[in-house]
Amino acid sequence: MRRLGIIGAGGMTETLLDAVTRGLPAPLEAVTILATRRSAGKAEALLARHGDALAAARLVRTERAAFLADAPQFVAECAGQGAVREHGVAVLETGAELAVISIGALADEALRLGLEQAAARAGARLVLPPGAVGGIDALVAARLSRLEEVTYTGRKPPLAWKGTPAEALLDLATLAEPAIFFDGTAREAAIRYPQNANVAATVALAGAGFEATRVRLVADPTINRNLHEVAVRSAAADFTIRLEGRPSPTNPKTSLTAGLSMAREVLNRVLPLVV
Ligand SMILES: NC(=O)C1=CN([C@@H]2O[C@H](COP(=O)(O)OP(=O)(O)OC[C@H]3O[C@@H](n4cnc5c(N)ncnc54)[C@H](OP(=O)(O)O)[C@@H]3O)[C@@H](O)[C@H]2O)C=CC1
Ligand SMILES: O=C([O-])CC(=O)C(=O)O
């Protein structure tokens, strides 16, 4: 893979570009960012920061047609569920591989089917990185035996839940103790908390599905990290993964591991050893 496309120019793209530049054995041929008009300047600055060490050609586009004309072979969506809806099918139709990090978008069955069908028609692949969470490999393997119970608990400091429906349920500014404000299915979590519960969708798609995966979301004033816990019981193995992620410096909702997980996808398509 020599031509990388990225959708979005926020905190995750910053983490992705830093990690990819550090990990590349040699510069890529081209990196193109599809940005909103508002964020085009930020995208330019992110690319300029890495310069020739990242890629010989560094481009920012604000129109999808121009972005696709740059012929990216691998496109990393780092923008949000709306961007998956807006651009996903069109990217796959070019035959490019598309890695989606806003995995909660796939809680919309029609969109998931549309993406899968576009990929099948074009001979392309839709890839779902583990993102902020860990243990997805073991969960997929356990699913191949027989899953009995899968629960995901997402716990973040109150600030990370600002601007979400949690605000109507809790007084985030004065919260003194951890509060579970959501207990339901992975589908409902991914749809209602699009910037905070993509992991719920990842766990669902890797494991027991959107309805059978139980999700709890917690605002916790006693922590300064984003905690992800996946508990699995299955015929092959029982396990619990507990991951304490540091938030990205520019977006407290997003853990650094999410952008790093996307960087892993990119580097696995460049380096000879895939891990
Ligand atoms: N799977 C996982 O584990 C995780 C997934 N996520 C997902 O990743 C997304 C990105 O996270 P993060 O970088 O921290 O978010 P930010 O809000 O920091 O950045 C989002 C960026 O995407 C841009 N953007 C939004 N919509 C579009 C679009 N339609 N086309 C092009 N660019 C667009 C925004 O531009 P502008 O600001 O101008 O609107 C902004 O530059 C989250 O919204 C969430 O969906 C996040 C954390 C974990
Ligand atoms: O980054 C995280 O900690 C998780 C997250 O926001 C999500 O699942 O959408």
Side-chain angles (χ1 to χ4, degrees):
M1 195 278 292
R2 305 291 304 141
R3 304 180 68 80
L4 170 65
I6 301 171
I7 306 177
M12 192 178 298
T13 296
E14 195 169 338
T15 305
L16 169 66
L17 288 174
D18 286 349
V20 165
T21 309
R22 275 199 309 275
L24 281 174
L28 294 170
E29 194 178 296
V31 173
T32 307
I33 296 181
L34 175 58
T36 58
R37 283 188 197 287
R38 181 174 44 168
S39 296
K42 181 159 183 223
E44 300 273 5
L46 284 176
L47 291 177
R49 194 158 93 196
H50 298 289
D52 292 336
L54 172 65
R58 300 174 300 277
L59 307 154
V60 174
R61 307 294 190 192
T62 55
E63 300 293 338
R64 183 173 71 223
F67 173 74
L68 295 180
D70 293 331
Q73 297 160 314
F74 178 92
V75 174
E77 175 275 315
C78 301
Q81 294 187 10
V84 180
R85 226 166 277 125
E86 193 179 337
H87 302 302
V89 167
V91 169
L92 287 165
E93 279 174 344
T94 69
E97 195 172 5
L98 172 65
V100 160
I101 203 77
S102 301
I103 297 174
L106 277 62
D108 174 344
E109 284 296 319
L111 179 60
R112 182 182 62 76
L113 259 174
L115 291 167
E116 286 186 21
Q117 286 166 354
R121 275 197 307 275
R125 289 211 310 166
L126 173 64
V127 175
L128 307 180
V133 77
I136 295 300
D137 52 346
L139 176 54
V140 175
R143 183 182 71 192
L144 299 176
S145 67
R146 190 184 65 256
L147 290 172
E148 284 152 11
E149 191 177 357
V150 182
T151 59
Y152 164 69
T153 306
R155 192 181 288 267
K156 294 184 182 183
L159 177 69
W161 299 108
K162 267 186 79 174
T164 78
E167 277 185 327
L169 304 169
L170 301 171
D171 184 352
L172 294 172
T174 61
L175 195 66
E177 290 182 351
I180 300 175
F181 60 86
F182 176 89
D183 189 341
T185 67
R187 192 182 308 281
E188 210 187 331
I191 291 170
R192 285 172 61 181
Y193 297 89
Q195 290 177 287
N196 276 311
N198 289 283
V199 162
T202 314
V203 170
L205 286 161
F210 279 103
E211 258 58 60
T213 303
R214 181 172 179 192
V215 173
R216 289 192 200 91
L217 301 176
V218 186
D220 187 341
T222 69
I223 57 174
N224 56 12
R225 303 218 178 142
N226 297 336
L227 269 55
H228 302 284
E229 196 169 297
V230 182
V232 177
R233 281 198 304 112
S234 77
D238 300 341
F239 61 89
T240 302
I241 298 287
R242 180 184 150 91
L243 192 147
E244 297 188 12
R246 289 187 176 77
S248 116
T250 55
N251 184 355
K253 293 182 173 24
T254 296
S255 304
L256 282 171
T257 43
L260 296 173
S261 157
M262 187 61 94
R264 168 177 171 262
E265 298 293 342
V266 173
L267 293 172
N268 272 346
R269 283 157 183 80
V270 173
L271 296 166
L273 179 66
V274 174
V275 64

